[in-house]
Amino acid sequence: MDYLNRNQFRFFKTHWNSVTCRCVALLVIVLVLRAVLFPTFLGFPRIENDNVVMIHNHSLFLKPEFGIWKIKFLEVPQIVWGLNNQKIAFARSCLTARMLNRTLLLPSLSASLFYKEIDQLQPISFDKVFQFERFNSHCKGFVQLGQYSDISNWTDVIELQKGSGRKWTVDRDLNQLKQFSNDPYNGYEIIRVAGKNPFLWHDHWPIRDYAKVFECLVLVDEISNEADRVVSKIREIGRGLRRDCVSENCKLETVPYIAVHMRIEKDWMIHCKKREQRSNIREICSSKEEIMERVGKIVGPKAPTIVYLAVADSLLEDNSILNGWKKGLIPFEKKKLGVVGMYKKYPYLIQSAIDYEVCLRADVFVGNSFSTFSSLIVLERSQKMIREGVTTSCAMDVRWPSYAYNILGESNGPHRWMTNISASNLQAISYGSNDICC
């Protein structure tokens, strides 16, 4: 044993005396000292301190070996307008933060529908509508949300002024983001965006990136439970209408229902008629009678079938939406369903979120292709079909079918509708389109 130890010592002494070995040892010592004494050397975070989330599918400006900075943030203006415009604005903010290699600070949504009267916006925190931890868990490695309490230096801020007007092109906007992703701007802890609502920012990302963000949005339990109540009531009434449903098994069956996003409110009719005039497109507005006639042409669940009408009651001037439906289609809205009191407990944003879930879960959905609300529901339903191996719903019977009642389809019914997930941008969904991929 002593012989071995003496030989090992001689071997170590011989090699230690070499110049190469000494250089390697000195390099190791320097690296250890730098890691301990200068953790932010050259601006890079210490990964072992969990300051970086690694990205597997890197963005436009990130190299694969880099990640989302958890110690550098992007702050955006309050998000406004309707629920789904706000969801698009939120996703656009997330993707902007991803492009800048930053964490998005928890944004403020708007509980009310007012968007001109700033003092009436009724700000509501993101985590009062969607689950914060679930979002970060589902979107880990893609985008990241942070709390204001994560900020270490409130004075380390640079302002990014978003341009507007005709001269502010998509290319100029993209160049601005590229500029702010590099030094000296990249050195600031916070980049604060100043300017218009994020929904109106230029779009630089494919639908697939937006869809990924939307998949990470999970409603808080309170809102989700209210949607459960509405859907359960619809199906319960549907079972009661079936005269042949007498057995216990039948009473436990999931009874299908159709959801119609009935856009005939006064604000929509004014908007869509102006849009038709400007764009010279005649397939935007639909009257109550046209909607009822086309929905009646859908061959689907056997009669009698519940038709849930998703409509903004406070903006509706027509009280006859329950009259005139095809025999076998039994229309219900909030009042007839007996849930209007539950809806009224909440501000507009939450009411819209509940209706969105009710429409999303419907066996058949019918909406307006120029509506953001309808478009995002069809996007999610299209993703469900794709996950089940369906690549098109245009010429076959599938689960989760969707239709656009403002576009004439086969047999004078509504047109089949599926989102083109491969589209290079979200313009069709953001600003209205009759391109329904079928």
Side-chain angles (χ1 to χ4, degrees):
M1 183 66 67
D2 291 341
Y3 173 78
L4 290 175
N5 288 338
R6 285 195 299 273
N7 278 286
Q8 288 171 353
F9 176 77
R10 290 194 197 99
F11 177 84
F12 177 77
K13 182 177 180 182
T14 300
H15 286 77
W16 172 253
N17 289 332
S18 68
V19 175
T20 303
C21 189
R22 290 181 179 183
C23 289
V24 170
L26 288 173
L27 180 61
V28 171
I29 293 171
V30 169
L31 289 174
V32 170
L33 288 174
R34 190 187 73 174
V36 173
L37 299 176
F38 306 101
T40 56
F41 182 69
L42 293 179
F44 289 101
R46 292 180 62 183
I47 295 177
E48 65 271 23
N49 279 348
D50 196 31
N51 285 332
V52 169
V53 176
M54 294 310 298
I55 291 180
H56 304 291
N57 179 19
H58 58 89
S59 69
L60 183 62
F61 302 119
L62 302 183
K63 294 181 180 179
E65 67 268 25
F66 293 164
I68 300 172
W69 286 82
K70 292 180 69 176
I71 55 172
K72 290 189 177 181
F73 305 95
L74 179 74
E75 184 181 18
V76 299
Q78 181 177 352
I79 297 172
V80 300
W81 293 10
L83 168 70
N84 290 284
N85 289 340
Q86 292 190 52
K87 286 169 69 174
I88 289 175
F90 169 74
R92 192 159 288 161
S93 300
C94 285
L95 295 173
T96 300
R98 172 179 165 83
M99 189 174 277
L100 296 173
N101 194 16
R102 289 173 175 266
T103 291
L104 177 67
L105 286 170
L106 205 62
S108 175
L109 305 178
S110 299
S112 65
L113 190 58
F114 295 99
Y115 56 91
K116 292 181 180 178
E117 299 83 357
I118 302 299
D119 59 329
Q120 298 185 53
L121 282 175
Q122 297 179 26
I124 181 172
S125 178
F126 171 90
D127 57 357
K128 298 298 182 183
V129 183
F130 301 103
Q131 296 187 36
F132 172 78
E133 296 294 345
R134 290 281 291 275
F135 180 88
N136 276 344
S137 174
H138 291 345
C139 264
K140 186 176 182 180
F142 186 71
V143 294
Q144 192 81 12
L145 285 178
Q147 302 273 17
Y148 278 84
S149 57
D150 297 333
I151 296 173
S152 61
N153 184 0
W154 282 91
T155 64
D156 193 16
V157 182
I158 182 72
E159 190 172 277
L160 187 160
Q161 181 68 46
K162 274 282 183 179
S164 61
R166 293 182 180 180
K167 292 184 178 180
W168 189 257
T169 63
V170 174
D171 289 340
R172 289 188 67 181
D173 190 83
L174 186 60
N175 288 335
Q176 182 191 54
L177 292 179
K178 289 179 179 179
Q179 182 183 18
F180 271 77
S181 67
N182 296 316
D183 291 331
Y185 308 104
N186 191 46
Y188 289 88
E189 182 173 353
I190 305 167
I191 292 179
R192 178 176 295 146
V193 181
K196 55 189 179 180
N197 161 41
F199 176 68
L200 300 176
W201 293 357
H202 284 296
D203 175 41
H204 307 292
W205 305 277
I207 280 186
R208 199 176 301 279
D209 283 1
Y210 282 94
K212 173 64 177 175
V213 176
F214 295 146
E215 280 185 331
C216 301
L217 291 172
V218 180
L219 290 171
V220 296
D221 290 341
E222 181 183 4
I223 301 174
S224 182
N225 292 340
E226 298 289 31
D228 290 341
R229 286 179 54 195
V230 177
V231 172
S232 296
K233 195 144 192 174
I234 292 172
R235 297 199 188 277
E236 181 184 349
I237 293 174
R239 281 190 290 270
L241 292 173
R242 293 176 56 181
R243 296 178 182 177
D244 60 337
C245 188
V246 291
S247 67
E248 288 300 319
N249 288 337
C250 176
K251 291 178 181 179
L252 295 175
E253 285 180 3
T254 300
V255 177
Y257 70 95
I258 298 173
V260 180
H261 181 217
M262 205 166 185
R263 291 248 60 184
I264 57 172
E265 305 93 342
K266 57 186 179 183
D267 67 321
W268 170 259
M269 297 309 291
I270 293 171
H271 166 74
C272 73
K273 287 176 181 177
K274 289 181 178 178
R275 186 66 182 268
E276 283 187 339
Q277 292 172 356
R278 290 197 307 268
S279 60
N280 199 28
I281 297 175
R282 291 293 172 263
E283 291 184 315
I284 301 178
C285 302
S286 291
S287 66
K288 176 190 68 175
E289 291 75 20
E290 183 178 76
I291 296 171
M292 291 190 295
E293 179 184 355
R294 291 185 178 178
V295 172
K297 301 286 185 179
I298 296 174
V299 178
K302 64 179 182 179
T305 301
I306 298 292
V307 179
Y308 176 73
L309 306 178
V311 61
D313 307 76
S314 60
L315 299 172
L316 184 65
E317 293 184 323
D318 188 344
N319 296 320
S320 63
I321 60 172
L322 299 178
N323 303 326
W325 290 85
K326 178 183 175 181
K327 185 178 180 180
L329 296 180
I330 315 299
F332 277 80
E333 34 75 81
K334 299 175 185 66
K335 186 175 181 181
K336 185 178 178 182
L337 200 59
V339 295
V340 68
M342 179 268 286
Y343 273 86
K344 286 185 175 179
K345 293 190 304 183
Y346 300 103
Y348 175 83
L349 184 73
I350 308 303
Q351 293 182 30
S352 185
I354 297 170
D355 257 3
Y356 184 93
E357 279 296 305
V358 176
C359 291
L360 182 64
R361 301 179 195 179
D363 299 87
V364 178
F365 173 71
V366 192
N368 188 299
S369 69
F370 270 74
S371 163
T372 310
F373 183 99
S374 293
S375 295
L376 292 196
I377 288 174
V378 175
L379 171 61
E380 285 203 52
R381 292 170 70 89
S382 297
Q383 287 179 283
K384 288 183 179 183
M385 288 191 290
I386 291 170
R387 284 194 291 268
E388 294 181 0
V390 178
T391 56
T392 177
S393 67
C394 304
M396 59 187 294
D397 292 329
V398 295
R399 193 181 179 193
W400 312 112
S402 302
Y403 298 84
Y405 58 67
N406 60 304
I407 302 176
L408 187 63
E410 296 180 0
S411 304
N412 293 321
H415 207 294
R416 287 266 189 174
W417 186 3
M418 187 175 182
T419 303
N420 178 13
I421 303 294
S422 300
S424 61
N425 60 67
L426 201 68
Q427 183 174 353
I429 291 178
S430 296
Y431 299 105
S433 170
N434 57 4
D435 180 8
I436 54 176
C437 194
C438 286

